[in-house]
Each structure stands twice: as structure tokens, then as C-alpha cells.
Amino acid sequence: MPKITVVDHLGNARIIEAASGASLMEAGVKAGVPDLVAECGGARACATCHVYVEDVFFEKVGPADDMERQMLEYAVSPVRATSRLSCQITISDELEGMTVTTPPAQ
């Protein structure tokens, strides 16, 4: 299972293990990451699982599609070039060692 580091907006890091095929949001919620609110449960109907993907992994994760970009418009915190909804990031072995940062507010 790939290990992914989730850093909160204060700089506190937590390493989570995520099963390949699961979403980053699912893995984060199961691991008790407090900044992943995930109000819609991964239905891409809110922006409460917003994360910033580190640059080196953004190409592997890929950009948001049109629907996800529309949801990110509702994000409370600023959207960056590397913003994604964690419910739309599918874990794979190539994401081993990735770091994402949660924004100050969801």
C-alpha cells in the first residue's frame, strides 16, 4: 500500500497508507485526517476535500477535469494550480511518497 504524507495548513505531517484503487479522500478519512471534511462523501458535489498536490507529483495525478474545476470554484480556501479534490485522486503505486497539503479551511 502506497504511503502518502498529508500536511495540514499548520505544517503538521501525517503519513497514511492507502490501498491502490481507493480515493485519497477515502484513505484520509479512514486515517482520521481532520482537515478532510468530505461532506459529500466523495460524490464530487462539494469542495470540502480540497488539497494542494506537491508539484513533483502533480503530473502523475493529473489536472482536474471540468466538473472538478467547477466544484473547486466553491472552495473556501484559495485554489492553486495544483489544487485537486482528494475524492478524485485515485491511489496507485506510482503515488508512493506523494505529499499533499490541506488548505486552512474547507
Side-chain angles (χ1 to χ4, degrees), residues 35-47:
D35 290 349
L36 292 178
V37 179
E39 286 180 357
C40 74
R44 195 167 46 176
C46 71

Side-chain angles (χ1 to χ4, degrees), residues 25 38-46 49 67 71 85 87-88:
M25 182 272 307
E39 286 180 357
C40 74
R44 195 167 46 176
C46 71
C49 67
M67 188 172 178
M71 284 294 99
L85 298 178
C87 68
Q88 298 303 300

Side-chain angles (χ1 to χ4, degrees), residues 44-93:
R44 195 167 46 176
C46 71
T48 60
C49 67
H50 179 200
V51 295
Y52 305 121
V53 178
E54 70 179 318
D55 291 336
V56 69
F57 277 90
F58 190 73
E59 190 172 310
K60 291 179 182 179
V61 171
D65 64 18
D66 289 339
M67 188 172 178
E68 184 177 346
R69 278 193 298 275
Q70 288 174 0
M71 284 294 99
L72 283 166
E73 289 177 15
Y74 296 101
V76 174
S77 293
V79 175
R80 300 179 184 168
T82 61
S83 286
R84 291 292 310 270
L85 298 178
S86 61
C87 68
Q88 298 303 300
I89 298 174
T90 302
I91 302 300
S92 66
D93 289 341

